[in-house]
Amino acid sequence: MDPAREPLAGGGLQRRPAAAARAGGPPQDQPPRGQRAIHADVDPQPRPWPWMQKVAILAIVVLGCLQFLPATHFRDPNDPHRNWIPMDRSRNPTDSSNVVGSVDVFSWISCLDLRTLVVLTNSTLSSSSDPQNVSFHFLIPEGGNDKSPYYKLKVVLPDSDLTVTSQRQIKDKLNVATPEGNFLWSFHKELSPLLIAKSQLSKKRYLYISADSIVKGKIEDLGRMDLGTYAIAATEDCSKRFGDLVSMDVLSAIQRAAPKSWVSKEPYDMDACLLDFDVLLVEPRKLEKNLVESIKWWAGVVNVANPKDHIRLAIALALYDKYLKLPLIWKRADANADILNYDGPNKVCSEDGRQQEQSSYGDNWKQYLHQKSEAILNA
């Protein structure tokens, strides 16, 4: 029988492919119609287009270079929606922590009364939308034991982030033997916000608030405010103006004769207000190195009978046109403001160190201080 033929079931013969017939094996599978069979041992492997490799290399280089471009947007970690916010190029890059970080509140108290500090803390935290990022630093009079006030405050305010520091530590850091240190300490009550920066108690942005205050607004809105090129933001006290304390002719004469670094380039306005140090936002890095020397110089050339008005006028003249004005809503008042005067009972210290108790004149303080807490603080 012909080896190229094989019997069919009906008795006929079917011709097999010659190669399969010669090998004596079954017929090889044929590829589907319209496709070409690829033989690995015969056909070369497919090659990509030559220019595709160059495009891939160029894309890798471009993407690598993009990593070196400065950031244009950021996301506030405190924003639940994680929205992208354009970055302000006018701001120093080192200030970014002040925009989205914690708010440090400092307060100086001349006559120790823990009730006012508790009311300040509770009112601030209860009004804040981000209370876990608000910390408090209380500077208490020297000579006392700062451990006892701290423990009492922690018993009443167990979840608050607070520190208690004796003012003696600041006095030691100032080195009052120097003319500048002695001047600062001579007016430590009036210059207490600046003492914090000068003693390097805080090297980052901080918010100074008078101890006898009740905060009704969101403190983070104030603490994270953009200061631009200014080092200080403050409210104003317009109950007394420049023209009420000093002759404008005297100011003009001083301005013509004084070194230009100490005086304003523009004429002084007789209706200009004094600074109110009850609420103050400070950037220590931006403070002028000669600011205290400038205040001291102005205190020596202007003459005001009232010592308190004297130093306040010197501060206002040294900082004339050099501070950012805070919104009027942050001007401390007794009603319709974001910060109110403490209206509860408090202790007042005389020059000889004696304490007197003053009764309350309002009820706002009561919602921030429980009677049981008051008993602990007075123990």
Side-chain angles (χ1 to χ4, degrees):
M1 180 181 293
D2 186 353
R5 296 177 180 272
E6 61 181 1
L8 294 174
L13 296 176
Q14 174 180 307
R15 187 174 184 84
R16 292 185 299 172
R22 288 193 301 269
Q28 297 181 352
D29 295 335
Q30 297 297 321
R33 180 174 297 179
Q35 295 186 7
R36 185 172 63 89
I38 298 177
H39 305 284
D41 57 341
V42 177
D43 297 337
Q45 63 181 4
R47 296 179 60 84
W49 295 327
W51 54 270
M52 286 296 295
Q53 293 182 346
K54 298 180 180 179
V55 171
I57 295 174
L58 180 61
I60 294 173
V61 172
V62 171
L63 291 175
C65 293
L66 289 177
Q67 304 301 315
F68 297 96
L69 292 177
T72 58
H73 292 70
F74 71 95
R75 289 192 294 189
D76 189 341
N78 299 313
D79 182 5
H81 301 291
R82 306 290 287 172
N83 295 320
W84 287 102
I85 304 173
M87 296 186 68
D88 185 359
R89 291 298 171 192
S90 64
R91 191 198 315 277
N92 190 320
T94 58
D95 294 342
S96 59
S97 61
N98 295 323
V99 178
V100 298
S102 62
V103 178
D104 292 331
V105 178
F106 280 80
S107 191
W108 180 293
I109 187 166
S110 300
C111 189
L112 186 60
D113 190 341
L114 298 181
R115 291 172 298 189
T116 61
L117 300 181
V118 171
V119 171
L120 172 62
T121 304
N122 276 334
S123 64
T124 302
L125 295 178
S126 63
S127 302
S128 173
S129 60
D130 191 16
Q132 67 273 14
N133 281 325
V134 181
S135 60
F136 299 87
H137 310 271
F138 299 131
L139 310 175
I140 63 174
E142 59 177 322
N145 180 10
D146 56 343
K147 296 298 182 182
S148 177
Y150 171 77
Y151 291 133
K152 290 182 179 180
L153 289 173
K154 287 302 291 183
V155 169
V156 178
L157 305 165
D159 299 326
S160 60
D161 181 6
L162 63 87
T163 62
V164 176
T165 304
S166 172
Q167 295 167 11
R168 176 179 292 276
Q169 296 185 25
I170 298 180
K171 185 177 181 180
D172 294 339
K173 291 181 179 181
L174 282 177
N175 189 7
V176 295
T178 63
E180 180 178 290
N182 183 56
F183 173 78
L184 279 169
W185 196 252
S186 299
F187 299 98
H188 59 270
K189 293 181 181 179
E190 293 80 7
L191 297 174
S192 54
L194 299 181
L195 286 173
I196 297 168
K198 284 298 179 179
S199 61
Q200 296 187 344
L201 194 61
S202 177
K203 295 184 179 180
K204 61 179 182 178
R205 166 187 291 214
Y206 61 88
L207 184 62
Y208 179 89
I209 299 180
S210 293
D212 53 342
S213 301
I214 299 176
V215 178
K216 304 289 287 184
K218 293 183 179 181
I219 202 69
E220 57 271 13
D221 293 345
L222 184 60
R224 296 167 185 167
M225 182 178 295
D226 183 9
L227 294 182
T229 59
Y230 294 107
I232 292 176
T235 55
E236 292 186 322
D237 180 9
C238 294
S239 61
K240 292 184 179 179
R241 303 174 184 267
F242 280 16
D244 299 328
L245 300 176
V246 64
S247 169
M248 300 310 296
D249 292 336
V250 171
L251 274 186
S252 299
I254 294 174
Q255 191 175 23
R256 290 192 299 268
K260 296 302 181 183
S261 58
W262 300 124
V263 298
S264 172
K265 297 179 180 179
E266 301 296 330
Y268 292 99
D269 183 5
M270 64 177 300
D271 293 324
C273 302
L274 302 182
L275 270 72
D276 191 341
F277 271 20
D278 288 335
V279 181
L280 203 72
L281 185 60
V282 182
E283 284 273 15
R285 293 186 297 268
K286 297 179 182 178
L287 284 174
E288 295 181 354
K289 295 182 179 180
N290 61 357
L291 176 59
V292 175
E293 190 176 356
S294 176
I295 296 174
K296 182 182 177 182
W297 182 85
W298 274 110
V301 297
V302 294
N303 186 18
V304 179
N306 187 311
K308 185 176 181 180
D309 288 341
H310 184 199
I311 188 62
R312 291 182 64 205
L313 177 61
I315 294 171
L317 288 168
L319 289 172
Y320 189 77
D321 288 339
K322 296 180 180 179
Y323 66 94
L324 180 68
K325 297 179 182 179
L326 291 177
L328 290 177
I329 198 70
W330 285 104
K331 167 65 178 173
R332 198 170 65 154
D334 290 320
N336 301 324
D338 280 348
I339 183 167
L340 310 178
N341 290 300
Y342 171 78
D343 56 0
N346 65 321
K347 297 177 182 178
V348 179
C349 296
S350 59
E351 294 295 335
D352 57 3
R354 295 181 180 180
Q355 291 186 350
Q356 294 180 349
E357 184 83 8
Q358 287 187 346
S359 59
S360 62
Y361 64 90
D363 296 326
N364 289 321
W365 67 281
K366 292 182 178 180
Q367 57 184 308
Y368 305 110
L369 181 61
H370 195 274
Q371 290 183 352
K372 292 182 178 180
S373 299
E374 188 175 2
I376 295 174
L377 298 174
N378 291 329

